[in-house]
Amino acid sequence: MEMVAYRLKPIMTLSGYPVILLANYFIFSAIFKSSPEIAGYSVNEAVTYMSVAWFLRALLKTDIDRLIGYRVRSGDIALDLIRPVYYPSLVFWQGLGRTIGRGVFVAAPLIVFGVLVLPLTRPNGLQDWLFFAMALTIGYMMAFCINLLVGIFSFFIEYNLGLSWTVDMTVRLLAGLLIPLDFFPKGFATVLMFMPFRYIYFVPIQIYLGRIPISQMASTFGVGLTWVAAMFLITHITYATGVRRLGIQGG
Amino acid sequence: MITVENLTKVYRTFTRREGIFGGLLDLLHRDYRETLAVDGVSFSVERGEIIGYIGSNGAGKSTTIKMLTGILRPTSGHVSINGLVPWKQRTAHVRNIGVLFGQRTQLFWDIAVIESFRLLRKMYDVHKVEFDGRLKEMTELLDLGPLLNKPTRKLSLGQRMRCDFAASLLHDPPVIFLDEPTIGLDVSAKFKVRDAIRHIALERGKTVLLTTHDLTDVEDLCQRIIIIDNGRIIFNGSIKGIKERMGKVRKALIDFHDTVSASSIMQSFDGSSVDAVQRAPNQVELTFATESISPSDLMRRILSDFNVQDFVLKGPELSDIVRKIYDGETAIASRDKAGE
Ligand SMILES: Nc1ncnc2c1ncn2[C@@H]1O[C@H](COP(=O)(O)OP(=O)(O)OP(=O)(O)O)[C@@H](O)[C@H]1O
Ligand SMILES: [Mg+2]
């Protein structure tokens, strides 16, 4: 809705992403000059990985953490809490609205650009697309929970912009937006496999690239869903604790 | 309908130290300051009443409203509204209340007002037919017709306030909290909002608690006022009652056909209970205590002794009384206790 309201804003937002896609393309082409394969990726696969990662980023960047922080600082959170709706679910719909807006105005043009300009690979068949869509849903929930949690932290610390930035940067690293997780040294990569962050970027893209065998699909989704459930529980508890001690500003 | 007992709110604010070193110290140990914003407030409101909740800046009005709407937990005390405890049963409670914070808008900033209304309808699951009927009523009452298709950010303050007020009533709540509903409104917008408040209270039987700094709102709308100062209630009663108690001094402004001096009037009243001030060569303002002379006796004597062209009997003005109460709070508070 906001996207439609300010017609210029998506254009401004949009212009940064193609630059990143191109930059990644050049960087990875250079890296792959010395060897045709790194960590099991061909150069095209690596470029595809990075491009899909940024397509997802374009969808996932809802900034709901900043939205919540802003509403707490301004006291407008009062207007959300007088609604007969569980606040996290209100935020979920707001986030989804933003994602749809970004999908249409940011991600779609970006994908067209990427497909036209870069040597991107595609999943093999319908089944892989479906698995990818499922992984995406889990990733979306995970990203939502993390954002929501950072937002809710503003109930306790009021000023959450610093936290928001730190978490964003950490997630970029640990979830595989910066580089594919299997490019990291073995030890670190293994640790990351036991963390929930990889479900946001790394896992969906692995499925997109057909790098997860069918036999492992069930367990991957099982663990992912468990993580999401755990994150929902954690956010709920944090919210319930925070809302009790929230001092509504202004008036 | 609304029962409030010993409601108290203490805000804890952390005092931040300055500089980097101070910031590090803050991590280890934070000092906090306590503000007693609402201090043992008790009152009750019946169905269909319009209550004026007034007090000077920082008296604790908004804090009280925040607790009554359930978004702020009190430090102690008890509140029951429609049989619910606001902050404990918040989601159920908020269905029963309409809230307007005059300083903020509950409408979505970027979309047309009517779209905001439709989203609110979804949130409260109001039936379509009911919603349309209420929207029509509100549109007529508050003259919203030309505003409904504009985005909120393009509305003037007064237009926005009218839309916001309508928004708070769309789910037909029995209890309505209005925190400064007339702030920044021009005379005509103010009258529209007041008419709407009166309409929903008198004809729809809604209970209204409103705060305002414009005492003419209160005089126009409320049978009863509650005055809060430094977090404590210092008066709770009818406007008529407070005027009778505090409004013993009244004023009369008199225009004469020819020049009349203030002193000549003072003389005709023996200079005792009536005080006269010259406003213009042929205009005098009299201040008198109703205990020693009734307004009718005063006017009868003036009309027989002088050649009067016009006169206005003023007050007692609520604003004068309230100002007196704000200034000399303890006097009336103690007198109140003695009277009980
Ligand atoms: N979030 C907060 N944190 C700390 N102190 C607060 C907070 N909100 C209000 N206060 C303090 O509580 C007291 C009461 O504030 P409140 O907003 O209830 O006043 P008010 O009667 O609504 O005043 P006004 O007429 O100016 O709106 C003030 O002293 C204020 O400084
Ligand atoms: Mg206030």
Side-chain angles (χ1 to χ4, degrees):
Chain A
M1 271 179 275
E2 289 150 53
M3 287 286 181
V4 193
Y6 299 98
R7 281 197 204 99
L8 220 58
K9 196 175 146 202
I11 298 170
M12 314 273 263
T13 319
L14 185 57
S15 54
Y17 284 95
V19 175
I20 297 175
L21 287 197
L22 288 177
N24 277 318
Y25 172 65
F26 294 134
I27 293 169
F28 279 82
S29 303
I31 295 174
F32 277 79
K33 279 246 167 64
S34 51
S35 68
E37 202 187 276
I38 299 174
Y41 291 82
S42 70
V43 64
N44 280 0
E45 280 173 331
V47 169
T48 304
Y49 180 105
M50 293 312 297
S51 303
V52 175
W54 282 94
F55 297 158
L56 296 187
R57 169 72 179 180
L59 285 172
L60 293 179
K61 193 177 156 20
T62 53
D63 283 337
I64 52 172
D65 49 349
R66 285 156 191 265
L67 174 78
I68 300 173
Y70 170 75
R71 292 188 73 80
V72 168
R73 281 193 304 284
S74 69
D76 282 351
I77 188 89
L79 301 167
D80 302 316
L81 296 179
I82 56 165
R83 302 294 172 218
V85 180
Y86 179 57
Y87 181 59
S89 61
L90 195 69
V91 174
F92 179 79
W93 293 114
Q94 278 172 327
L96 198 63
R98 288 177 171 205
T99 294
I100 291 169
R102 290 182 68 88
V104 174
F105 291 102
V106 184
L110 186 69
I111 291 170
V112 171
F113 172 83
V115 169
L116 290 180
V117 174
L118 300 174
L120 302 185
T121 67
R122 240 170 270 178
N124 279 327
L126 186 65
Q127 197 187 26
D128 281 7
W129 277 112
L130 284 177
F131 283 135
F132 177 60
M134 282 168 64
L136 224 58
T137 313
I138 293 178
Y140 187 84
M141 297 299 217
M142 185 62 72
F144 165 74
C145 284
I146 292 172
N147 270 334
L148 178 64
L149 198 59
V150 172
I152 289 172
F153 256 87
S154 61
F155 288 20
F156 301 89
I157 56 177
E158 274 171 28
Y159 196 78
N160 73 341
L161 283 183
L163 182 70
S164 167
W165 193 82
T166 310
V167 170
D168 185 30
M169 288 302 146
T170 312
V171 167
R172 283 177 189 218
L173 183 76
L174 304 185
L177 176 64
L178 224 50
I179 52 168
L181 295 184
D182 27 23
F183 275 46
F184 285 127
K186 194 106 183 78
F188 188 50
T190 313
V191 171
L192 291 187
M193 290 307 129
F194 291 98
M195 292 222 215
F197 303 105
R198 69 191 178 106
Y199 283 93
I200 302 174
Y201 296 109
F202 183 72
V203 170
I205 302 173
Q206 293 303 291
I207 292 176
Y208 182 97
L209 293 173
R211 288 166 61 94
I212 295 185
I214 294 280
S215 59
Q216 285 176 26
M217 217 55 97
S219 67
T220 306
F221 286 141
V223 175
L225 284 172
T226 313
W227 269 120
V228 169
M231 283 300 290
F232 270 114
L233 193 67
I234 293 169
T235 35
H236 172 75
I237 293 169
T238 315
Y239 166 72
T241 318
V243 81
R244 294 166 67 101
R245 41 168 295 162
L246 187 60
I248 311 279
Q249 308 295 313
Chain B
M1 192 108 246
I2 303 179
T3 327
V4 178
E5 279 160 29
N6 260 318
L7 190 63
T8 300
K9 178 69 192 180
V10 180
Y11 284 111
R12 277 187 170 192
T13 37
F14 294 101
T15 47
R16 293 208 167 80
R17 297 185 186 103
E18 281 173 26
I20 297 173
F21 185 65
L24 288 175
L25 274 178
D26 278 348
L27 287 177
L28 298 173
H29 174 82
R30 292 208 282 183
D31 287 327
Y32 58 83
R33 201 163 34 94
E34 294 194 334
T35 315
L36 185 53
V38 171
D39 184 6
V41 159
S42 305
F43 62 87
S44 60
V45 183
E46 299 304 319
R47 182 171 182 273
E49 270 192 293
I50 306 179
I51 301 291
Y53 195 63
I54 60 180
S56 50
N57 289 130
K61 304 181 295 295
S62 296
T63 305
T64 311
I65 298 241
K66 284 171 190 170
M67 290 190 281
L68 299 188
T69 53
I71 58 179
L72 188 66
R73 281 181 88 85
T75 310
S76 64
H78 183 73
V79 173
S80 162
I81 298 174
N82 281 310
L84 298 177
V85 180
W87 57 92
K88 284 192 182 144
Q89 292 140 294
R90 200 184 73 233
T91 15
H93 170 66
V94 291
R95 282 185 182 279
N96 293 331
I97 61 169
V99 187
L100 171 69
F101 294 107
Q103 322 247 24
R104 329 172 176 276
T105 180
Q106 54 186 310
L107 304 167
F108 298 87
W109 198 237
D110 294 317
I111 61 177
V113 172
I114 183 79
E115 294 302 327
S116 284
F117 287 179
R118 290 196 181 120
L119 279 171
L120 289 173
R121 176 176 96 78
K122 290 257 160 57
M123 273 191 212
Y124 288 90
D125 358 274
V126 180
H127 193 277
K128 180 91 170 58
V129 179
E130 250 177 73
F131 172 82
D132 287 341
R134 222 164 280 142
L135 182 62
K136 190 158 167 278
E137 183 186 353
M138 286 298 140
T139 307
E140 277 163 23
L141 204 59
L142 290 158
D143 200 8
L144 302 182
L147 308 178
L148 289 177
N149 288 311
K150 287 191 183 180
T152 309
R153 65 191 150 89
K154 292 200 174 154
L155 300 179
S156 78
L157 178 65
Q159 294 170 335
R160 196 221 81 205
M161 195 76 84
R162 272 144 59 202
C163 294
D164 250 298
F165 185 54
S168 65
L169 299 174
L170 288 173
H171 55 291
D172 200 30
V175 178
I176 294 143
F177 297 103
L178 306 169
D179 194 357
E180 306 196 29
T182 57
I183 188 170
L185 298 192
D186 70 30
V187 187
S188 114
K190 213 169 240 184
F191 273 88
K192 269 177 203 151
V193 169
R194 282 187 201 165
D195 281 342
I197 296 175
R198 222 186 333 261
H199 174 84
I200 54 157
L202 300 185
E203 282 170 44
R204 293 262 175 277
K206 311 293 182 198
T207 309
V208 179
L209 186 89
L210 69 93
T211 80
T212 178
H213 289 294
D214 181 348
L215 291 168
T216 57
D217 287 344
V218 171
E219 221 159 350
D220 200 13
L221 289 171
C222 308
Q223 299 82 27
R224 182 148 71 95
I225 55 175
I226 295 174
I227 304 180
I228 177 170
D229 197 81
N230 272 320
R232 288 167 189 249
I233 290 185
I234 56 171
F235 179 83
N236 177 354
S238 69
I239 294 184
K240 199 157 159 279
I242 198 170
K243 279 187 176 171
E244 272 164 17
R245 191 125 59 91
M246 299 289 294
K248 286 173 183 152
V249 174
R250 297 190 53 182
K251 287 194 165 88
L253 191 66
I254 301 162
D255 288 314
F256 301 98
H257 273 295
D258 28 49
T259 308
V260 171
S261 70
S263 53
S264 63
I265 296 183
M266 299 271 270
Q267 272 164 16
S268 82
F269 284 99
D270 302 335
S272 58
S273 57
V274 179
D275 190 35
V277 177
Q278 199 83 39
R279 290 280 175 222
N282 58 349
Q283 190 182 55
V284 173
E285 187 179 70
L286 303 181
T287 308
F288 59 99
T290 49
E291 282 159 327
S292 55
I293 184 163
S294 75
S296 52
D297 283 344
L298 177 101
M299 283 321 297
R300 201 172 296 129
R301 286 194 29 203
I302 301 253
L303 285 170
S304 67
D305 293 0
F306 299 93
N307 193 0
V308 174
Q309 185 194 9
D310 194 5
F311 65 86
V312 188
L313 261 177
K314 286 201 283 193
E317 301 269 348
L318 186 60
S319 57
D320 286 340
I321 296 169
V322 168
R323 182 153 34 85
K324 242 182 265 166
I325 295 175
Y326 289 173
D327 292 344
E329 178 239 314
T330 39
I332 182 162
S334 53
R335 213 197 298 167
D336 236 13
K337 293 230 170 63
E340 272 169 14

